[in-house]
Amino acid sequence: MRDINNAREPTYTVRVWALTFSGRPEEVGRARRWTLDILDGCARADDAALIVSELGANAVVHTDSGRGPGTFEVSLARSDHVITISVTDCGGTTTAPRVECPDEEATHGRGLGMVAVLAADVWVDGDQDSRTITAELPIPTSPPAP
């Protein structure tokens, strides 16, 4: 049996938040503001808010999240070293999200590419019934040089 009196202290703490938003376009802005409030003071808060905006907008525009009583959920997990952002949609499309290379005149198709540039890792889970796109943002250990 393990001696609990000599147990090591955890080396890090992870805090997790989640909120479900109505699938209306104006809710993307609410999700962005919520993200900024949660991550207030964090070096990557603006990047996280941009990712939430892009993924939330994609959910509202391209899936059942933006139709009828649709919703999308944003989850944030923060440790001392990384912010993990997940946006889950209501499905309704057989096309999996992917990074595109649109021409200069295109009005859509750049969002997931921006997310991929900002994040250290991006992945998609799920199927046509519901997909979750997750992005990981490393948090710098020291402030950037002036």
Side-chain angles (χ1 to χ4, degrees):
M1 178 179 251
R2 192 171 128 192
D3 181 2
I4 60 171
N5 293 325
N6 291 324
R8 294 185 313 162
E9 291 294 316
T11 57
Y12 62 90
T13 301
V14 177
R15 296 198 59 202
V16 179
W17 301 265
L19 192 59
T20 300
F21 297 89
S22 171
R24 296 187 317 266
E26 61 271 17
E27 291 292 283
V28 174
R30 186 170 157 244
R32 180 179 54 250
R33 289 186 300 278
W34 176 77
T35 300
L36 288 169
D37 286 345
I38 293 294
L39 299 175
D40 186 41
C42 178
R44 302 292 307 266
D46 289 337
D47 292 338
L50 177 60
I51 290 172
V52 165
S53 293
E54 291 300 329
L55 298 181
N58 284 351
V60 169
V61 171
H62 299 294
T63 75
D64 284 348
S65 292
R67 297 179 194 97
T71 61
F72 64 97
E73 180 179 273
V74 178
S75 299
L76 303 172
R78 179 182 176 187
S79 73
D80 292 337
H81 308 287
V82 68
I83 301 167
T84 303
I85 302 153
S86 297
V87 175
T88 303
D89 65 39
C90 288
T93 179
T94 57
T95 306
R98 66 183 189 283
V99 175
E100 297 180 359
C101 297
D103 64 34
E104 291 181 21
E105 303 296 319
T107 58
H108 294 285
R110 292 177 182 83
L112 201 51
M114 284 192 295
V115 170
V117 167
L118 290 170
D121 199 6
V122 179
W123 64 93
V124 179
D125 292 308
D127 56 25
Q128 69 268 7
D129 295 325
S130 177
R131 285 194 173 82
T132 299
I133 302 177
T134 302
E136 287 188 340
L137 289 174
I139 298 172
T141 54
S142 60

